[in-house]
Amino acid sequence: MPSLETDYQRSLSNDFTGNATSARIVTDPGGAAYLHARFDGSVPAELQLTSSFQTRNRTIDWQNPTNPAEDAAVLQAALRPTGNKPLDGIVAQRAAEITAGATTDVDKVRAIYAWIVAHCYRNLDTPGCGPGDTVATLTSAGLGGKCADLNGLFVALARASGVPARDIYGIRVAPSEFGFKQLGANSAAISGAQHCRAEVWLSAYGWVAMDPADVLKVMRAETETWIKDPTDPVVTQVNDALFGNWEGNWVGYNTAEDVTLQGTDHALPFLMYPQGEIAGQRLDELDAGAFVYEITTA
């Protein structure tokens, strides 16, 4: 469920009903809030969660630094390696190559963002939002993937360059103001509309929105022809806008990584999809039909 309380998003309520033998809201140590329920199997399981929230667009004025402050522990957490984001080896090597000559945190982030857009691509065959394995994205996946892979790589490269960064895992809930189908939820049914965004901490501006993965989505899937030039007129406005801004047509769930859910002994790299187990066997969270879940927006 949405667990961010920021100047661009706030939660109003979370209500649930169903026939679970037990159900309660749990918060992971990393800040991910979720509804945890158990069923005894005597009847088909039913559970409905309704989350109400407010969101708004995030914008940045690069001409007016704000000189913000942040808890040192929060910034340190946004510089740590995780299971999906080691900060040594090929990640450190590529980060050093990309940011060579950059002298400020803004310069480093601009270089990484531009490199992602110029060298990576959206792989339409990647299931869901992708596994988010940074090393695999740089090697075996050939720089292809979806938002958890591409924005995850952006975050890892920023961290390896000394810039605090984090992924925010969420879901699209409304159409895009750009008018691009690929950047919004285009119906009330959003079971497959999960999307991972990113943000970086810049010393003069605070947390700043980033989404190079959506630039690549427009390039690959908005038109019948794959656009490979970031300066193409179709792409330019999105490329410029998503460096420092994002639309409020999306709600963020959490920024948690390496999440171990209550009652399980395996860690998830991130929590962006419903999870389920029957008799100890995990259900495929990417197969909403077989799992039998629906996510809708109103």
Side-chain angles (χ1 to χ4, degrees):
M1 63 181 63
S3 57
L4 304 180
E5 296 294 334
T6 68
D7 60 356
Y8 60 86
Q9 177 179 319
R10 67 178 181 179
S11 294
L12 301 179
S13 64
N14 290 287
D15 302 303
F16 56 90
T17 61
N19 59 10
T21 54
S22 67
R24 67 188 185 95
I25 295 172
V26 177
T27 300
D28 170 82
Y34 59 92
L35 176 59
H36 180 271
R38 292 184 180 275
F39 304 85
D40 63 14
S42 60
V43 294
E46 295 180 4
L47 186 67
Q48 178 173 303
L49 167 67
T50 302
S51 296
S52 298
F53 49 84
Q54 293 179 323
T55 64
R56 67 179 183 182
N57 293 348
R58 287 180 75 176
T59 59
I60 181 118
D61 183 353
W62 293 108
Q63 304 307 312
N64 289 294
T66 59
N67 298 312
E70 178 59 284
D71 187 322
V74 172
L75 296 180
Q76 188 59 40
L79 285 168
R80 293 187 189 124
T82 67
N84 259 356
K85 296 181 178 72
L87 304 183
D88 55 4
I90 190 172
V91 178
Q93 177 185 342
R94 190 57 55 87
E97 293 169 356
I98 294 169
T99 61
T103 58
T104 69
D105 53 5
V106 175
D107 291 340
K108 290 178 181 180
V109 169
R110 283 191 186 278
I112 294 167
Y113 182 99
W115 186 89
I116 295 282
V117 172
H119 293 87
C120 297
Y121 72 96
R122 180 176 177 84
N123 185 342
L124 301 182
D125 295 326
T126 300
C129 288
D133 185 331
T134 297
V135 172
T137 303
L138 285 172
T139 56
S140 58
L143 301 179
K146 289 188 179 172
C147 57
D149 308 307
L150 304 170
N151 281 341
L153 176 58
F154 170 83
V155 167
L157 292 171
R159 290 179 181 178
S161 303
V163 180
R166 56 194 182 190
D167 288 298
I168 305 181
Y169 303 99
I171 193 165
R172 304 182 202 269
V173 295
S176 168
E177 293 177 356
F178 285 112
F180 289 164
K181 182 178 180 181
Q182 297 297 327
L183 300 187
N186 301 295
S187 74
I190 59 170
S191 299
Q194 289 85 359
H195 179 53
C196 161
R197 288 179 167 175
E199 63 181 0
V200 294
W201 175 267
L202 301 176
S203 58
Y205 300 95
W207 288 110
V208 177
M210 298 282 160
D211 199 343
D214 258 359
V215 181
L216 294 169
K217 187 176 188 183
V218 168
M219 294 172 70
R220 182 65 182 89
E222 188 64 30
T223 65
E224 292 184 1
T225 303
W226 183 352
I227 302 171
K228 298 184 179 180
D229 180 4
T231 65
D232 184 284
V234 174
V235 180
T236 300
Q237 63 171 316
V238 178
N239 193 19
D240 292 342
L242 296 183
F243 184 84
N245 312 280
W246 73 36
E247 295 181 82
N249 66 335
W250 167 95
V251 61
Y253 291 136
N254 60 76
T255 62
E257 298 178 281
D258 297 336
V259 179
T260 300
L261 299 181
Q262 182 173 309
T264 68
D265 57 5
H266 55 269
L268 300 172
F270 49 82
L271 183 59
M272 188 163 47
Y273 290 85
Q275 303 289 318
E277 290 188 358
I278 298 178
Q281 297 298 309
R282 293 181 62 192
L283 300 174
D284 182 357
E285 69 269 26
L286 301 183
D287 189 346
F291 197 155
V292 195
Y293 68 77
E294 288 184 317
I295 307 175
T296 59
T297 183

